[in-house]
Amino acid sequence: MPITKKPGNLKSISGTSRNDREEINAVELPLADAVPNAPDWLPNAHAVKEWERLAPILHANKLLTEAGLSALATLCALHGKIVQLFAAGECPTGHLLSQYRNLINDFGLTPVAQGKLKQTLGNEKTNPFAKFKRSKSESDI
């Protein structure tokens, strides 16, 4: 089985990226310009409501790309189906719940997945030794 490298964007999501191992030719997918409307093919109102809830959150955190719109729509469709099953008094299959769980992890929507995401704003690291910086009067001594 051939060994394949993990893409850089997945490394940054999982928190395992390192500057010394950064790929030079990593693919940067374009971010969605604005929050798009829900697709017409979503199966029910629960799915549309989930789209309207998640899309602005993902867009604000710069996690919504043009290529990821169909995955988000699939996530919302699964959510809608699961809600319908629970509302009808039925239990969703393990496979359906597993697919849903995998997608919400991919978008960083669980507490564990959130810990692996890097913040997009205010991610400048402070110098831990800055508090020991000498003042001008001390350096003259």
Side-chain angles (χ1 to χ4, degrees), residues 79-100:
H79 172 81
K81 179 65 176 173
I82 290 168
V83 170
Q84 274 186 331
L85 288 171
F86 278 128
E90 299 176 22
C91 187
T93 64
H95 181 263
L96 191 64
L97 292 172
S98 175
Q99 292 300 314
Y100 178 74

Side-chain angles (χ1 to χ4, degrees), residues 46 57 61 80 88 109 113:
H46 298 292
I57 294 169
N61 288 293
L109 299 173

Side-chain angles (χ1 to χ4, degrees), residues 122-139:
N123 61 351
E124 301 86 24
K125 292 183 179 178
T126 59
N127 183 355
F129 301 105
K131 61 185 173 187
F132 301 114
K133 188 175 181 179
R134 291 183 180 176
S135 64
K136 289 187 179 185
S137 61
E138 291 177 1
S139 62

Side-chain angles (χ1 to χ4, degrees), residues 1 24 31 33 35 42 68 70 77 84 93 97 118 129 135:
M1 185 171 185
I24 296 171
L31 295 173
D33 295 332
V35 178
L42 287 178
S70 60
Q84 274 186 331
T93 64
L97 292 172
K118 293 189 176 186
F129 301 105
S135 64

Side-chain angles (χ1 to χ4, degrees), residues 49-76:
K49 193 172 184 180
E50 185 70 356
W51 176 280
E52 291 170 352
R53 185 181 74 84
L54 289 179
I57 294 169
L58 294 171
H59 184 266
N61 288 293
K62 298 183 181 178
L63 295 173
L64 189 60
T65 63
E66 293 292 332
L69 293 176
S70 60
L72 177 60
T74 303
L75 167 68
C76 294

